Amino acid sequence: MQGYISAIPFSQGHGAVELGCSELHETLIIRHINEIKRRNAAVFIILGLGVLSKRNLHQKIIYKLKTVELLMNCVRYLLKASYFCSMIEDKNQEHTALSSLGEFGLIDHLTRQFVDKNPSTVKGIGDDAAILDFKNKSVVLTTDLLLEGVHFDLSYMPLKHLGYKAIMVNLSDVYAMNATATQVTVSIAVSNRFTLEALEALYDGVRQAAEVYGVDVVGGDTTSSKTGLMISVTAVGEVDLESVVKRDGAQPNDLLVVSGDLGGAYLGLQVLEREKQVFKVNPNNQPDLEAYTYIIERQLKPEARKDIVKLLKDLDVLPTSMIDISDGLSSEVIHLCKQSEVGCDLYETKIPLDPQVISTSEEFKMDSTTVALNGGEDYELLMTISQEDFPKIKANPNLTVIGYMTDSTNGMNLVTRAEAKIPLTAQGWNPLSSDSES
Ligand code: ADP
Ligand code: MG
């Protein structure tokens, strides 16, 4: 069997330790273990084709690595790891046909792991509908649908990550309302090409996301699909009506502020697409993804900015408007401006970019500003704040002022490095190169 292994750092997660590896590439496993040792890294993912199930993991490693000493080293370092996942559909794992469980058996199997923790969850999974009680709070509700072939490609999107990301995409919308996410429902349509083990991986990601972000999975629906996989998540959140932040509250002179950095998720996707093509031509080729760890993680395992909602509260800053960045900075700035009936000047030089975004843009011969403006899927929060709140945020590394709002007659502009003003468009001021996704 052919292997496909690489290791990428994985931040902040906790979870089961699994090892993804190929039967033919123990030298690579050793190389990666040495790398983990060298960096003393606590967190690594090994992406692999041919994941060993946890049950036979130890035997295989003993068999492959021969020495017990090496095994112990291996296990010690692996135990530090956050989690390991399969890059491409697992060929070694056990297969349990979905038909052997039936619909209700499957629902029961996938959902019995969920334990409700929020006081607002009165009744979760198991009845015709969930019962939620928010007392005197307002409720926000949002849905997103992810479709195989349109929103994700399972040849490089591990199912566990897909489950995690499906939750993130929705929680990001809740946080963009300045609300606290409390519940989600998860609906899936699957074809019989998926095994129970594959859906377990998907739900592992869902469970991990729910745990880390403190939301209860209170329901969903399960049905069959004749074509690809579909996963639809609805998220519920709570907020005091006076703290809710909408898209339409920006005023002229407000500062335009963004969390984190931009463009990474899009470039991560470009790298994964490129590796997929290389892999198709030569499955023996071992990609070195070392230089792209951050941007690949941004694509495969985005984190919704719950921390920013808390930070704003701690700083005592209530944004005048807010939106999450799912379609690219440019398009979100336009949404804020249009709904608030204001204009804006956005400064190219202020857009926060990770060094990996800059280097990978150069490699792909793309303009990093274009990537940040149009890339999408960064799931950062874009907001406007009143000028008088500037001292509260100015020293904060999580928040960057990238421009300011103006009267609507000024229009919506990008102020370039050369200080030229270019009107912002939803596709950006300079279309992405023709061989890339738009
Ligand atoms: P109904 O026939 O009323 O739609 P189901 O048998 O589909 O009920 O679902 C039974 C329970 O399991 C419900 O509480 C439902 O919300 C929950 N559920 C069904 N599918 C999923 C899923 N994929 N993920 C989480 N919960 C689910
Ligand atoms: Mg149902």
Side-chain angles (χ1 to χ4, degrees):
M1 197 191 68
Q2 305 298 343
Y4 189 92
I5 296 186
S6 190
I8 64 173
F10 190 85
S11 59
Q12 289 179 353
H14 308 278
V17 172
E18 294 156 27
L19 174 65
C21 66
S22 146
E23 301 214 38
L24 290 183
H25 291 85
E26 72 260 40
T27 47
L28 262 164
I29 299 171
I30 295 168
R31 204 183 85 194
H32 284 305
I33 290 168
N34 286 336
E35 181 61 17
I36 293 169
K37 278 199 224 171
R38 190 179 66 75
R39 294 179 170 214
N40 198 20
V43 281
F44 255 76
I45 304 178
I46 292 181
L47 303 168
L49 180 146
V51 175
L52 307 172
S53 73
K54 249 191 257 175
R55 195 142 40 84
N56 62 18
L57 167 73
H58 293 217
Q59 289 163 12
K60 291 269 175 149
I61 296 272
I62 289 173
Y63 174 72
K64 282 297 177 191
L65 299 184
K66 304 273 192 318
T67 74
V68 174
E69 195 195 341
L70 205 46
L71 168 74
M72 288 319 294
N73 279 340
C74 169
V75 170
R76 206 170 302 131
Y77 286 98
L78 290 183
L79 281 177
K80 281 189 178 177
S82 175
Y83 70 65
F84 297 81
C85 62
S86 72
M87 181 87 172
I88 299 176
E89 249 177 283
D90 178 6
K91 301 282 190 289
N92 256 0
Q93 220 179 320
E94 296 141 78
H95 293 287
T96 311
L98 291 180
S99 53
S100 69
L101 284 106
E103 183 192 335
F104 300 122
L106 175 64
I107 293 174
D108 183 54
H109 186 89
L110 293 179
T111 60
R112 66 177 157 218
Q113 52 184 318
F114 296 119
V115 184
D116 299 329
K117 297 201 181 79
N118 281 292
S120 50
T121 307
V122 179
K123 171 74 190 174
I125 289 169
D127 213 308
D128 295 313
I131 307 171
L132 310 179
D133 181 356
F134 290 96
K135 312 272 189 237
N136 52 356
K137 295 267 188 177
S138 297
V139 173
V140 296
L141 184 73
T142 174
T143 296
D144 269 296
L145 175 74
L146 299 181
L147 208 55
E148 184 178 352
V150 178
H151 301 102
F152 57 89
D153 181 335
L154 288 177
S155 54
Y156 47 73
M157 178 55 125
L159 283 162
K160 190 167 181 172
H161 288 64
L162 177 63
Y164 194 93
K165 184 169 175 175
I167 302 295
M168 287 310 117
V169 168
N170 279 272
L171 298 192
S172 180
D173 282 320
V174 172
Y175 301 136
M177 303 301 291
N178 204 32
T180 307
T182 46
Q183 288 87 13
V184 291
T185 62
V186 181
S187 298
I188 52 173
V190 278
S191 70
N192 54 14
R193 114 183 120 93
F194 288 91
T195 61
L196 177 64
E197 288 72 22
L199 293 188
E200 279 174 345
L202 182 75
Y203 266 71
D204 254 8
V206 168
R207 186 190 41 73
Q208 190 176 6
E211 227 168 79
V212 173
Y213 285 77
V215 299
D216 297 332
V217 181
V218 296
D221 201 19
T222 309
T223 188
S224 59
S225 157
K226 290 212 159 54
T227 51
L229 174 67
M230 185 221 69
I231 175 164
S232 171
V233 174
T234 296
V236 178
E238 58 179 38
V239 62
D240 292 325
L241 208 47
E242 62 270 21
S243 310
V244 80
V245 179
K246 298 189 291 176
R247 295 179 179 183
D248 63 4
Q251 299 287 327
N253 298 323
D254 281 354
L255 299 173
L256 184 63
V257 176
V258 70
S259 67
D261 53 69
L262 301 173
Y266 173 81
L267 287 174
L269 181 64
Q270 300 312 304
V271 170
L272 289 167
E273 282 284 352
R274 183 180 67 186
E275 293 309 324
K276 180 185 172 183
Q277 299 313 321
V278 172
F279 183 75
K280 271 189 194 162
V281 178
N282 180 8
N284 285 320
N285 185 61
Q286 297 294 331
D288 187 359
L289 301 178
E290 193 73 33
Y292 313 107
T293 52
Y294 175 69
I295 56 174
I296 288 175
E297 190 180 338
R298 294 285 283 170
Q299 170 58 224
L300 294 183
K301 191 174 176 283
E303 303 286 351
R305 300 308 304 258
K306 179 185 183 179
D307 58 325
I308 297 295
V309 174
K310 179 173 184 302
L311 175 71
L312 290 169
K313 197 170 177 203
D314 292 347
L315 295 173
D316 192 28
V317 173
L318 185 66
T320 51
S321 70
M322 187 149 66
I323 189 170
D324 75 317
I325 302 185
S326 49
D327 298 334
L329 178 63
S330 187
S331 139
E332 317 302 0
V333 169
I334 291 171
H335 281 308
L336 288 187
C337 286
K338 286 199 169 154
Q339 299 210 20
S340 301
E341 297 177 3
V342 293
C344 87
D345 282 346
L346 162 65
Y347 287 82
E348 179 181 15
T349 53
K350 303 286 183 201
I351 298 173
L353 302 172
D354 185 85
Q356 263 184 29
V357 166
I358 296 168
S359 60
T360 313
S361 294
E362 277 169 17
E363 190 186 329
F364 278 81
K365 300 201 165 36
M366 287 178 184
D367 179 89
S368 55
T369 305
T370 310
V371 165
L373 284 173
N374 303 297
E377 291 202 288
D378 287 315
Y379 300 107
E380 294 296 342
L381 292 175
L382 177 72
M383 67 200 87
T384 54
I385 67 162
S386 155
Q387 294 245 5
E388 67 196 39
D389 283 333
F390 177 64
K392 300 181 193 164
I393 68 143
K394 82 171 177 212
N396 200 290
N398 293 297
L399 299 171
T400 310
V401 178
I402 56 173
Y404 58 88
M405 312 316 272
T406 61
D407 197 88
S408 60
T409 53
N410 173 64
M412 300 168 278
N413 307 296
L414 180 78
V415 182
T416 69
R417 246 169 263 280
E419 292 182 13
K421 272 196 188 186
I422 298 175
L424 281 174
T425 64
Q427 284 77 43
W429 52 280
N430 187 8
L432 292 169
S433 65
S434 55
D435 59 346
S436 61
E437 214 179 67
S438 63

